[in-house]
Amino acid sequence: MKDIFRLENVIHQYSGRTVLDIQNFEVKEGEALALLGPNGSGKSTLLRILAFLEKPTKGRVYYDGKMVNEPSFAHRREVTLLLQNSPLLKRSVEENLCYGLKVRGKTSNMQEKVRTALEMVGLNPQKFAKRKWFELSGGEAQRVALASRLILKPRVLLLDEPTSSVDSESAKVMKEAILKAKSQWGSTLVIVSHDLAWIYQVTERALSLFNGKLINHVPENVLSGNWEPRNGSLFALKLSDGQIIMGAGNPMESSTALLDPKDVIICAEKPEEDSALNALEGTIVSMNLARDTGQVLVKTLVGDKTISSLVTEKSMKNLHLHPGLKVFLHFKASALKWLQ
Amino acid sequence: MNYILEGFIGAINLLLTKDPETYSAIWTTLRISTLSITFTLLLGIPLGFLLGHYSFPGKRVLRTIVDTLLALPTVVVGLLVYAFISRRGPFGELGLLFTIPGVAIGQFILALPIVVSLTASAIEGMDPKVYLTIKTLGASNKQAAIASLWEGRYAVLAAAITAYSRVISEVGISMMIGGNIKWHTRTITTAIALETGKGEFSMGIALGAVLLAFAFFANTLVSFLRRRA
């Protein structure tokens, strides 16, 4: 697969403050990529750069193999972005869907296209096409906003928190519509979401952003706080319930550690004492299937922190894992990677 | 008090019998105000969008100037326009003094800050995501500007009606630039001023009633649109 997007040494600043600092970033044509990270990490800014709504302060953006200095109309019309809590235009549902087609001059068979797009997002065209923007619920409005993008059959569909304000039924319908766009038209998907259960069912690859920097693996667990020095090269982070996470290495004070969910093992029993091995007691709060690997992402509440771990279906059955179960999380102190 | 009552009865008579002099003033007022408001909207709405949407150095100063011009006295506008289009002025050869286009130019200057300022406020008050949404759907800058103005259509229309109310009820410019010439540049407001001075209350009241009807209609519309906006 060729790269549809490539970013090189991109820095983006607002009023002199760097919000994005990316050395290399590629999106393959036709893939479904998840962008994860805490609020303020630069995810939405990155989406706006990919949507050609903003030009990075420094660096190069390549689209379809060519460097983009000033995005052409053709580029901008192949890429569409669904903003977080995207407002609808103050028009009927039908007119909202037709707007993108009209500005492209694609005015043939609009009724049919509207019908198909509304059906894709699970809305009855006869019931909804003539409704005004204020006659829709929050979930319906978000589905109409998605349909307004799907009707364009975009080459790249960028979604910023598409399910943040919708119920589970709407989220399910939106997931199916997005996956249909990918399978039918080969649309490339780049999705930002905090709804991990949802995003793992839609995407095949995930990247994380932290303080504007891209992290090329998915650190589900970002452990921030005051790390205090202990014996040797070990450092300790105290949790609200008194348990302690041990990390090996040389962190700065108040630095952040990343812990890959693959390095976290779930056990029913507490292991023997070992200062280099963490054994934290917690309660499982959620379990979600990761679409690409078939593994299950298990989230466990430990003190005031939620720690994610990836387990196989077999392990899940053997341990009889379920939400509410008390378990022990094991991981080596050396598994923590320090982000200075 | 009888003369006021007689004035009202006379006014109704003038309106019902379609008195030519009365209707000439009404017709002239409509011609001038339509001409001035048309050009005001053609220039003022795009300028209002630019002022409201874009950030640029000196924007705050420009905004303050435009807002200050909202309180522009009509006699000052009349004086300035007179200076420019009178025989001795730089545009004296165009022969605009004491003509309908001359008065319309003055009213255009009066109404432009209103449309620019209120349109800019409408755009500034809009959720910034609306413009971005329009752009993400593939609109060009021009298409996005038109769509944004359409999104704020009630507020923009309210700006237009506010400006129209201002020009239709002004007297200073019409008097100074138009010269209050009977059958030619005499408007509702200048006729009221003249007839009242002469003690002819009937025509003054008749024209005043028409003006009030216009103002009432315009303000009702503005009030309705503000609720919709």
Side-chain angles (χ1 to χ4, degrees), chain A residues 48 53 73 76-77 79-81 83-91 99-100 103-104 133 148-149 152, chain B residues 127 129-130 132-141 143-144 146-148 150-154 228-229:
Chain A
R48 286 181 191 205
L53 289 174
F73 255 140
R76 283 198 37 234
R77 289 183 171 176
V79 182
T80 186
L81 164 65
L83 297 161
Q84 185 175 2
N85 298 323
S86 182
L88 291 180
L89 304 179
K90 289 180 180 173
R91 308 164 191 218
Y99 182 77
V103 297
R104 285 166 173 76
W133 75 97
S148 303
R149 273 75 184 173
L152 306 172
Chain B
D127 181 355
K129 278 187 180 171
V130 171
L132 281 178
T133 295
I134 294 164
K135 293 287 279 186
T136 62
L137 290 169
S140 65
N141 287 343
Q143 287 168 330
I146 292 168
S148 293
W150 183 251
E151 289 301 295
R153 56 193 175 274
Y154 300 119
R228 292 289 303 267

Side-chain angles (χ1 to χ4, degrees), chain A residues 241 243 265-270 280-285 287 298-303 319-330:
Chain A
D241 63 352
Q243 296 193 82
I265 298 161
I266 298 182
C267 293
E269 303 292 329
K270 190 175 182 182
L280 305 169
E281 188 178 5
T283 307
I284 294 175
V285 288
M287 294 163 59
V298 178
K299 294 188 137 199
T300 307
L301 188 65
V302 182
L319 291 165
H320 304 292
L321 299 183
H322 59 82
L325 184 70
K326 290 217 181 288
V327 290
F328 287 92
L329 303 180
H330 295 196

Side-chain angles (χ1 to χ4, degrees), chain A residues 174-194:
Chain A
M174 288 172 79
K175 177 192 80 183
E176 284 160 7
I178 292 162
L179 289 174
K180 201 169 178 182
K182 185 176 182 301
S183 63
Q184 284 195 346
W185 316 314
S187 294
T188 304
L189 307 174
V190 182
I191 308 173
V192 165
S193 178
H194 286 111

